[in-house]
């Protein structure tokens, strides 16, 4: 599956319009949290400890004109881990959540002067999310289960940027992502829905 994600992300990047006149690349770091919902109150503590929405992304795209740019992206959504210990039952449960996504987006860029600008845009992508749960009782491995979700993700973002030279700049902003059908289970029992995320991001961008 990871190989398929990489192939699809590469295709999204290289299929950008060939008439674009100013290509650029960016490396982006993001931090934030998922918005979760649970059906059982006791599961909220687990969900809250797995809601880290940190990410690293690579973008490649082009400015179609001075104000509109398009891009493809490949993103690793990071890894969250939790170890839950029940001393009375001598039980240890370990949870590990990670994910990937790829897609395409567009931004409208409003220039305040030759260096400073504001931006707003949206994206559409495909995500994969995986939750692995393992249980040990008295040091013996009892069970390991894996919950996998995939589907569409929609994003909205707003931020600001500054070009230090004609080629190099940095951006910072806020992004909201919605994930369709992202409900994880432990075995057949629902754990939590990771419905959406709120992130702050910063990136370094290079225009060719």
């Amino acid at each position: 599956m990871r190989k398929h994600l990489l192939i699809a992300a590469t295709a999204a990047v290289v299929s950008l319009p060939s008439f674009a006149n100013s290509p650029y690349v960016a490396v982006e770091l993001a931090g934030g949290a998922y918005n979760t919902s649970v059906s059982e109150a006791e599961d909220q503590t687990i969900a809250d400890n797995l809601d880290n929405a940190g990410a690293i992304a690579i973008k490649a795209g082009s400015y179609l004109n001075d104000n509109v740019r398009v891009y493809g992206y490949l993103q690793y959504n990071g890894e969250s881990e939790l170890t839950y210990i029940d001393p009375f039952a001598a039980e240890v449960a370990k949870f590990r959540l990670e994910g990937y996504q790829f897609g395409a987006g567009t931004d409208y860029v409003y220039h305040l002067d030759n260096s400073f600008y504001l931006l707003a845009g949206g994206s559409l992508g495909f995500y994969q999310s995986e939750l692995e749960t393992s249980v040990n009782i008295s040091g013996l491995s009892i069970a390991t289960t894996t919950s996998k979700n995939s589907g569409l993700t929609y994003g909205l973002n707003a931020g600001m940027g500054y070009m230090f030279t004609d080629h190099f700049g940095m951006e910072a902003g806020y992004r909201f992502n919605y994930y369709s059908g992202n409900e994880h289970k432990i075995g057949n029992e629902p754990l939590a829905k990771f419905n959406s995320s709120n992130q702050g991001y910063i990136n370094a961008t290079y225009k060719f």
Side-chain angles (χ1 to χ4, degrees):
M1 177 59 74
R2 296 183 183 181
K3 181 180 179 180
H4 294 161
L5 289 174
L6 182 59
I7 293 173
T10 303
V13 172
V14 301
S15 63
L16 292 171
S18 59
F19 56 82
N21 56 21
S22 185
Y24 79 99
V25 295
V27 177
E28 184 172 288
L29 296 175
Y34 288 103
N35 300 308
T36 61
S37 59
V38 298
S39 55
E40 300 291 339
E42 58 265 28
D43 293 333
Q44 190 64 59
T45 299
I46 298 174
D48 287 345
N49 282 277
L50 294 173
D51 70 354
N52 174 31
I56 181 170
I58 299 175
K59 296 180 177 181
S62 290
Y63 282 79
L64 303 184
N65 54 47
D66 288 342
N67 300 110
V68 179
R69 68 186 186 186
V70 294
Y71 61 88
Y73 73 90
L74 175 63
Q75 179 172 305
Y76 173 58
N77 288 335
E79 182 178 293
S80 296
E81 293 186 337
L82 170 66
T83 299
Y84 177 80
I85 300 175
D86 185 344
F88 300 102
E91 179 179 301
V92 177
K94 295 184 178 181
F95 304 87
R96 182 174 61 85
L97 178 69
E98 66 176 346
Y100 305 83
Q101 65 188 66
F102 67 88
T106 183
D107 291 323
Y108 180 82
V109 180
Y110 179 76
H111 297 275
L112 298 176
D113 56 34
N114 290 333
S115 299
F116 188 61
Y117 57 91
L118 305 177
L119 62 94
S123 62
L124 174 64
F126 181 85
Y127 80 89
Q128 179 186 0
S129 179
E130 181 176 307
L131 174 67
E132 182 180 278
T133 305
S134 60
V135 178
N136 291 270
I137 298 178
S138 299
L140 300 176
S141 179
I142 302 301
T144 298
T145 63
T146 301
S147 171
K148 295 182 179 181
N149 296 322
S150 60
L152 293 177
T153 176
Y154 314 89
L156 295 173
N157 64 280
M160 62 185 68
Y162 188 87
M163 295 299 297
F164 296 97
T165 71
D166 289 341
H167 300 284
F168 176 75
M170 296 190 73
E171 297 174 352
Y174 163 81
R175 177 177 295 107
F176 172 83
N177 278 300
Y178 173 78
Y179 301 92
S180 60
N182 194 18
E183 179 181 22
H184 279 296
K185 299 179 179 181
I186 301 177
N188 295 320
E189 296 297 321
L191 173 65
K193 294 180 179 179
F194 294 78
N195 303 303
S196 59
S197 65
N198 296 283
Q199 295 176 318
Y201 69 86
I202 186 170
N203 69 36
T205 181
Y206 186 86
K207 293 176 65 176
F208 294 93

